[in-house]
Amino acid sequence: MSLLFLFLFIVVLLTSKFLWGRIFTPFTVFLGSFTLCFCLFYGSSFLYKDLSSHSIIIVLFSIFSFICGSLIYKVIPKKNIGKSSKVKKNFYNEINIEVFSNIVFVLSVIGFMGYMISIQRSIGILNAIQNPNLLNIAISQDLIQVNSLILILFKLSLPNSGLILIQNLIFRKKKKNIIFWIISVAINISVRRNVLFYLIIFNLFIYLYFIQSKKLRKIDLKKFIPIILSLGTLISFFQYMQKSLNKETMILKPEIFSIPVSSNIINALLYYIGNPQSFSQYLEENNGIVNNVFFLGASLRFPYKMLSIPLDLNFDDTFLEMNFVNIPYLFNTTFSQYYVYIEGGIIWVIILYFFIGFVSSRFFVKYTKSNNFITLMWLSFITLCLFFSVREYLPILLDFWVFVVYMLTLMFITNFKKEKKIK
C-alpha cells in the first residue's frame, strides 16, 4: 500500500505540472498531503491499520470531488484576467496599504498585551514561563478569561503578517516592516503552538507562490534559505514544547518503511500520520452524532454563536469536542472530512470539496495571470486550509473568521481606492 500511495503522490506532482505548469499548487498541496499521509501511515510499524470501509469511502468521495472541481474550472472558458503587474500598482496605493497594516499591527499588539494581562491575573506570567505546562492546563480548562474583543485583536496578527511580508516582496523593503513581521511572529509563540504554525506556514506559502510566479532562468538557492530556516525553527520549537509539556509519546523501536527513526521525528510525524486511524475511529464512535448537529454547525460555528443571542438559537457546539482515541497512542486530531461529514452527511462532503477544488483552482489561475497581492493572500490562505485539512478543519476556529473579515475589509479599502482613481 505504501508503494501505491507513493506512486500516487508522484502522479499528483506530474499532473499539477502538466495542467497548471507549476509543481506548487492547491491541487498538489491537498492531494499531496493526503497521499503522503497514507504512504507514511501504511509504511509505519507503530500504528493500528484497521480502517473502516465507511471512512475510506468518505475520503475517496472528498478527493474525487476536489479533483472534479479543480479540473472543471481548468477546462471552462475564462474571461481575460489581464497580465500586467503594473496595473496593480496604479490601483492599489502603497501608502494606503502600509497605513492599514500599521494600524492593524498596533491593534494586534494591544490584543497581545490584553492577553498577557489576562494570564497575569489568572496564573501569573512568571509562573507560565517557568512551567509552560501550567499555562497549557489553564488554557485547556478555560481558567484564563479573555475578553472577546481582545482575543479578536490579537488574532489579527495572522493575516496582517502576510500583508507585511507582501509589502517587502512587492513594494519597497523597509526595516520597519521586517521588525513588525518579527514581532508578529514572536507574540504568537505559545504553548498552544497551532497559531504560530498557521502564521509561519501561511507566510511560507505567500513566499513560495511569489517566487514561483517569477520566471527564473535558473534556481536561486538563496531564495529558499528563509524557507529552510523557518521550517527548521518550527521543528525545533515543536520538539522543545513537546518535552516541556510532557507530550512526548514513548514508542519502542519505531520504523517507517522498515527504517529505524528517532523518537523526535516520530513525535512530530505522529500528528500527521495518525489521522487516518483516528478518522476511522471517530466515525465509528460518533456514528449517530450526525442527526444531532445543526446544519453546517462546524463550518458556521462562529456565525451561529454570534446569532444565537439575538435570534434566540440554542446552538450547542459540544459535538466538536474531541475525546482521545487509541491508535494505539492517545490522539485527538483527525481529517477535516470528519467535521464536514457530521455537519451535512456524504452529499455535503461531495458538494463542499467540489466547491473547494473549483475555488482554489480559480484563485491559482487568477494569481498566475494578474500577480495581484490580494489574490495572493486569498490563495495562500486557502492553501493553508488545504494543507492542515489532513489534521483539522480551520473554519471551526476563530482565526479563520478573523482572517475572512480582515480580507473583506482590505478588499473594500482597495476597491474604494480603485473606483475613486478610475473616476
Side-chain angles (χ1 to χ4, degrees):
M1 289 295 288
S2 294
L3 291 177
L4 172 62
F5 282 106
L6 181 60
F7 171 75
L8 291 175
F9 178 73
I10 296 173
V11 170
V12 167
L13 297 180
L14 295 177
T15 303
S16 179
K17 181 65 176 177
F18 174 75
L19 292 176
W20 287 276
R22 302 286 192 278
I23 291 292
F24 182 63
T25 64
F27 184 87
T28 304
V29 170
F30 180 72
L31 298 180
S33 294
F34 277 90
T35 52
L36 191 59
C37 174
F38 277 100
C39 176
L40 294 172
F41 170 72
Y42 281 109
S44 66
S45 64
F46 49 88
L47 294 172
Y48 292 151
K49 298 181 179 64
D50 52 340
L51 304 185
S52 66
S53 58
H54 188 200
S55 65
I56 295 172
I57 289 172
I58 292 174
V59 172
L60 287 177
F61 269 112
S62 65
I63 289 176
F64 284 134
S65 299
F66 180 87
I67 293 173
C68 290
S70 299
L71 294 181
I72 286 177
Y73 182 79
K74 178 63 181 176
V75 300
I76 61 174
K78 303 172 187 63
K79 295 180 180 180
N80 184 22
I81 299 176
K83 298 182 179 181
S84 174
S85 60
K86 294 182 180 179
V87 176
K88 77 171 178 230
K89 286 192 176 181
N90 291 332
F91 283 165
Y92 305 115
N93 189 297
E94 179 184 348
I95 297 176
N96 292 322
I97 299 302
E98 185 175 7
V99 169
F100 175 78
S101 68
N102 289 349
I103 292 174
V104 174
F105 171 78
V106 172
L107 291 176
S108 67
V109 172
I110 291 174
F112 169 72
M113 293 172 64
Y115 187 69
M116 289 295 103
I117 291 173
S118 299
I119 293 177
Q120 176 62 30
R121 289 175 176 173
S122 301
I123 61 173
I125 294 177
L126 288 179
N127 292 331
I129 294 174
Q130 292 172 356
N131 185 5
N133 196 36
L134 178 64
L135 176 59
N136 186 51
I137 294 173
I139 295 174
S140 300
Q141 298 179 356
D142 291 328
L143 299 178
I144 300 177
Q145 300 298 320
V146 184
N147 182 275
S148 297
L149 179 60
I150 291 296
L151 196 59
I152 291 172
L153 292 179
F154 184 17
K155 290 183 178 297
L156 286 171
S157 57
L158 169 59
N160 201 55
S161 66
L163 187 59
I164 294 172
L165 174 63
I166 285 174
Q167 288 180 77
N168 267 15
L169 293 175
I170 297 179
F171 303 123
R172 294 174 296 174
K173 292 185 177 180
K174 294 183 178 180
K175 292 182 179 180
K176 181 201 68 176
N177 286 337
I178 296 175
I179 295 172
F180 281 6
W181 189 87
I182 293 174
I183 292 174
S184 297
V185 174
I187 64 177
N188 281 286
I189 296 175
S190 169
V191 294
R192 303 302 285 181
R193 298 168 295 177
N194 60 328
V195 179
L196 178 64
F197 276 75
Y198 301 153
L199 190 149
I200 294 294
I201 295 176
F202 170 59
N203 281 268
L204 284 177
F205 286 164
I206 288 176
Y207 186 74
L208 281 171
Y209 279 126
F210 178 79
I211 63 175
Q212 185 176 247
S213 67
K214 304 300 178 182
K215 296 182 179 179
L216 304 174
R217 295 181 180 179
K218 60 179 181 179
I219 297 177
D220 186 359
L221 296 178
K222 292 181 180 179
K223 293 184 178 294
F224 293 91
I225 292 177
I227 298 174
I228 296 171
L229 290 176
S230 298
L231 291 177
T233 303
L234 267 183
I235 293 171
S236 299
F237 175 72
F238 176 84
Q239 293 174 346
Y240 168 75
M241 291 307 302
Q242 285 292 98
K243 294 179 180 178
S244 300
L245 300 176
N246 299 319
K247 285 190 174 184
E248 286 188 299
T249 303
M250 300 302 296
I251 303 175
L252 296 176
K253 299 180 180 179
E255 293 181 348
I256 293 183
F257 307 126
S258 300
I259 300 173
V261 182
S262 70
S263 59
N264 286 338
I265 295 177
I266 290 300
N267 271 276
L269 279 179
L270 194 59
Y271 281 81
Y272 179 63
I273 65 176
N275 293 288
Q277 184 61 41
S278 67
F279 178 60
S280 178
Q281 291 184 218
Y282 279 127
L283 284 176
E284 296 303 312
E285 292 180 6
N286 302 321
N287 191 34
I289 199 175
V290 180
N291 300 323
N292 301 318
V293 176
F294 265 65
F295 178 64
L296 307 189
S299 296
L300 300 179
R301 176 193 183 190
F302 280 97
Y304 271 133
K305 292 182 74 173
M306 291 178 64
L307 294 173
S308 60
I309 297 177
L311 298 182
D312 195 26
L313 291 174
N314 184 22
F315 177 68
D316 181 10
D317 61 354
T318 55
F319 68 93
L320 294 173
E321 296 176 0
M322 307 296 286
N323 296 321
F324 284 93
V325 292
N326 191 19
I327 66 169
Y329 311 99
L330 293 180
F331 203 78
N332 70 335
T333 67
T334 192
F335 291 158
S336 61
Q337 285 89 336
Y338 170 76
Y339 301 94
V340 179
Y341 177 75
I342 64 173
E343 72 174 3
I346 191 65
I347 301 300
W348 175 235
V349 170
I350 295 171
I351 294 172
L352 181 61
Y353 283 94
F354 177 89
F355 175 76
I356 294 173
F358 187 91
V359 170
S360 61
S361 181
R362 181 182 183 277
F363 272 101
F364 179 77
V365 172
K366 185 177 180 181
Y367 176 66
T368 57
K369 297 290 185 181
S370 66
N371 289 335
N372 181 290
F373 79 91
I374 289 184
T375 305
L376 174 58
M377 289 189 68
W378 276 119
L379 174 62
S380 300
F381 184 66
I382 292 171
T383 307
L384 179 75
C385 294
L386 294 175
F387 177 78
F388 278 101
S389 65
V390 80
R391 68 176 305 271
E392 58 188 316
Y393 187 51
L394 291 189
I396 69 173
L397 303 177
L398 179 61
D399 308 79
F400 178 91
W401 295 99
V402 169
F403 186 97
V404 171
V405 172
Y406 175 94
M407 287 302 300
L408 292 176
T409 305
L410 181 60
M411 290 173 67
F412 173 79
I413 293 173
T414 53
N415 283 333
F416 174 77
K417 295 298 178 182
K418 177 170 68 174
E419 292 169 2
K420 185 176 180 180
K421 192 168 187 71
I422 290 173
K423 291 177 182 179

